Amino acid sequence: MIRVDNLGMTYPGGIRALAPTDLEFHAGEFTVLLGPSGAGKSTLLRCLNLLIEPSSGVISTSPLGELRSRGEIQWHRRSTGMIFQQHQLITRYTALDNVLIGRIGCYGAWRSLLPLPRKDKVFAMSCLERVGLIGKALVRVDRLSGGEQQRVGIARALAQEPNVILADEPVASLDPATAQNVLSLLHRICKSENLAAIVSLHQVHLAKIYADRIVGLAQGRVVFDGPPAALAEAELERIYGSQAGDARSPEVEKTPVAAPFTLPQLSSVQPSS
């Protein structure tokens, strides 16, 4: 789904955030990025979406190949959903209005200034239903809890009809129980839609529960790339160094998100093209 070759990022002043890196990410694979603050996780995610321009290397995607032209980059951004730690929602807007923002990229600049068609609103409602918030579609976001706001962020990403989901520490600001529920929901949706998911986390125990693959970074370099079962003590020390003890957390049982109603498949509602 996404391949990077020799991808690196050096900020002004010679600060190297990401050493030249080769990685591949595949459809249906839930990849977790682990590492201490400053390890390069956020930089890698933003380079993958070209929110920042890498200093070196190329990004290739299926079906476009190497991303070279402006049109190819725009297509890649439209097909990549981004979920942020601080939600990045417009708090005075309703949940539905925020999700509809995910549809704007499907239209040209002038068309996006007009009200979106009814099909887009129906599709946005189905995205809210996928995350269990259909009953709060018309509630202002600033009246929702932190976990609910993050679920609105997930619904907004789904509204783009993405092939890839990137999530930058999506549960860092949530309490442990809410964090696990939100991550469980995100995992379930990405698996059911066969999306490539690349999620940065600080919680090692959650990475071991949900990840198909863990990529560990330290000082801008990939120092581990493998299944959760292979993440032993020595690997944790390579990733976290002296902070390895702080990174450990008690193991918890996987708790599925409550589903009081049947969540429809996104393909059951056809958005406008």
Side-chain angles (χ1 to χ4, degrees):
M1 186 60 67
I2 300 181
R3 174 179 172 177
V4 299
D5 295 288
N6 202 41
L7 187 74
M9 182 64 203
T10 301
Y11 289 107
I15 301 172
R16 189 173 70 175
L18 185 67
T21 300
D22 298 334
L23 288 169
E24 289 186 1
F25 302 97
H26 304 283
E29 182 180 64
F30 199 90
T31 300
V32 170
L33 308 180
L34 283 181
S37 298
K41 304 187 301 297
S42 295
T43 297
L44 174 57
L45 287 172
R46 282 161 171 74
C47 285
L48 287 173
N49 202 20
L50 291 169
L51 291 176
I52 56 175
E53 184 178 353
S55 304
S56 66
V58 296
I59 300 173
S60 304
T61 70
S62 176
L64 294 180
E66 289 187 14
L67 300 178
R68 298 289 189 183
S69 70
R70 180 178 179 181
E72 290 170 340
I73 291 172
Q74 288 178 338
W75 186 93
H76 173 60
R77 286 174 175 165
R78 284 198 303 266
S79 62
T80 303
M82 191 80 185
I83 301 168
F84 302 90
Q85 176 182 344
Q86 298 300 329
H87 317 314
Q88 301 296 324
L89 303 174
I90 301 176
T91 56
R92 69 180 184 276
Y93 283 12
T94 66
L96 177 60
D97 288 336
N98 273 277
V99 176
L100 281 169
I101 291 172
R103 300 297 303 160
I104 290 177
C106 300
Y107 298 95
W110 289 109
R111 177 63 185 82
S112 65
L113 297 175
L114 302 174
L116 294 177
R118 182 178 182 277
K119 285 185 178 180
D120 287 297
K121 295 178 181 179
V122 172
F123 186 65
M125 290 291 286
S126 77
C127 294
L128 282 170
E129 189 163 12
R130 291 300 308 278
V131 301
L133 287 179
I134 190 70
K136 297 192 176 181
L138 301 182
V139 176
R140 280 176 49 137
V141 163
D142 56 8
R143 296 176 183 172
L144 300 178
S145 68
E148 289 170 336
Q149 289 183 22
Q150 193 58 290
R151 283 191 277 159
V152 172
I154 294 172
R156 180 184 58 192
L158 293 176
Q160 294 179 226
E161 298 181 278
N163 297 318
V164 179
I165 290 286
L166 306 179
D168 191 6
E169 297 186 18
V171 298
S173 61
L174 305 178
D175 65 81
T178 302
Q180 186 162 344
N181 281 337
V182 168
L183 195 59
S184 176
L185 173 66
L186 179 61
H187 179 270
R188 183 177 61 178
I189 289 174
C190 289
K191 286 295 184 180
S192 68
E193 298 297 322
N194 198 38
L195 304 178
I198 308 164
V199 181
S200 70
L201 293 176
H202 276 303
Q203 301 92 331
V204 173
H205 69 285
L206 291 180
K208 289 183 176 181
I209 291 173
Y210 294 105
D212 299 311
R213 169 192 181 193
I214 293 175
V215 175
L217 292 101
Q219 298 181 336
R221 294 183 177 276
V222 174
V223 296
F224 175 81
D225 186 355
L231 189 67
E233 191 72 21
E235 285 69 33
L236 281 173
E237 290 183 0
R238 282 210 308 272
I239 296 170
Y240 290 100
S242 61
Q243 302 176 41
D246 297 334
R248 300 184 191 90
S249 250
E251 295 295 330
V252 296
E253 295 295 325
K254 185 186 292 188
T255 304
V257 173
F261 42 76
T262 301
L263 300 179
Q265 294 294 320
L266 286 177
S267 56
S268 65
V269 180
Q270 295 297 323
S272 60
S273 58

